[in-house]
């Protein structure tokens, strides 16, 4: 397991070549300290863990690692099948023509869903397909605490949890986050 910057982990997810809508995620507050924990899982791409914090409103810092090569049956139970929420990883359009094509497809998706009975999950999936999201899916997220599944994953990947916590704590300490005005 190699600990790297969180952005490099997201880039691995984008470049994985895995089925974009096969991803699932679990996220919430860190067990101790400032920031959030996030696990991303895909049956063929594996499981990735990220620990991040907002240094300021414009900058997120963190660390992550690939903690499993595949999402097996045991790990699969920790990730949501369908929930009321979703997540997506985005790549910017390649050029102006690509941006215009994505905007046209997005407009068609919205018009189609406006004219027909639909579900929020169906709209979400169609929008992600229209804008060529490289990774999206259901997410179990608690913005005020930690889902039980997040604790279960942390216990399963105890060594990674310790290494990433140490790395994130070092980032936080070096940035003087939490010092306030002195």
């Amino acid at each position: 397991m190699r600990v790297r910057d969180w952005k490099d982990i997201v880039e691995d997810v984008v470049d994985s070549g895995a089925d974009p809508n096969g991803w699932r995620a679990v996220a919430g507050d860190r067990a101790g300290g400032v920031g959030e924990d996030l696990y991303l899982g895909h049956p063929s791409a594996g499981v990735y863990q990220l620990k991040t914090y907002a240094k300021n409103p414009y900058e997120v810092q963190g660390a992550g690692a690939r903690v499993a090569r595949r999402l097996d049956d045991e790990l699969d139970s920790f990730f949501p099948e369908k929930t009321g929420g979703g997540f997506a990883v985005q790549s910017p359009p390649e050029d102006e023509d690509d941006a215009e094509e994505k905007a046209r497809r997005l407009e068609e998706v919205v018009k189609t869903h406006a004219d027909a009975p639909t579900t929020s999950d169906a709209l979400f999936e169609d929008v992600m397909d229209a804008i060529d999201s490289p990774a999206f899916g259901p997410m179990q997220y608690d913005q005020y605490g930690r889902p039980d599944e997040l604790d279960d994953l942390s216990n399963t990947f105890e060594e990674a949890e310790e290494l990433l916590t140490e790395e994130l704590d070092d980032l936080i300490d070096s940035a003087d986050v939490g010092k306030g005005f002195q």
Side-chain angles (χ1 to χ4, degrees):
M1 182 188 75
R2 206 171 87 211
V3 175
R4 301 182 345 221
D5 185 84
W6 75 277
K7 291 178 185 175
D8 294 336
I9 301 302
V10 172
E11 192 65 35
D12 285 355
V13 168
V14 168
D15 293 339
S16 71
D19 177 26
N21 68 352
W23 290 91
R24 296 180 291 158
V26 177
D29 286 343
R30 279 184 60 208
V34 65
E36 292 185 324
D37 287 340
L38 169 69
Y39 284 88
L40 295 169
H42 190 283
S44 65
V47 178
Y48 296 85
Q49 180 182 7
L50 297 117
K51 287 186 174 284
T52 60
Y53 79 99
K55 181 176 179 181
N56 60 53
Y58 306 103
E59 183 179 356
V60 173
Q61 292 188 349
R66 185 177 185 192
V67 295
R69 291 176 194 237
R70 21 181 323 268
L71 184 60
D72 60 23
D73 291 340
E74 179 187 340
L75 296 174
D76 188 61
S77 66
F78 299 132
F79 289 90
E81 285 299 320
K82 291 288 181 191
T83 64
F87 82 97
V89 176
Q90 259 329 106
S91 295
E94 295 174 13
D95 54 30
E96 189 175 331
D97 291 338
D98 185 39
E100 288 175 4
E101 175 63 21
K102 287 178 180 178
R104 186 192 60 70
R105 289 193 321 243
L106 180 58
E107 184 178 10
E108 287 301 314
V109 164
V110 172
K111 283 180 184 178
T112 300
H113 280 271
D115 294 338
T118 191
T119 65
S120 59
D121 288 339
L123 174 62
F124 177 73
E125 188 170 325
D126 288 348
V127 166
M128 293 302 105
D129 284 338
I131 59 176
D132 290 330
S133 175
F136 63 93
M139 178 178 201
Q140 176 68 34
Y141 176 70
D142 186 341
Q143 65 183 357
Y144 301 111
R146 291 175 62 83
D148 292 338
E149 296 83 358
L150 191 56
D151 287 329
D152 294 339
L153 285 163
S154 294
N155 292 333
T156 301
F157 299 108
E158 204 169 319
E159 182 182 332
E161 179 71 22
E162 289 174 16
L163 286 171
L164 290 172
T165 295
E166 188 176 303
E167 181 71 24
L168 187 63
D169 287 343
D170 288 348
L171 285 171
I172 292 169
D173 288 345
S174 68
D176 289 332
V177 172
K179 299 288 186 197
F181 295 102
Q182 297 179 353

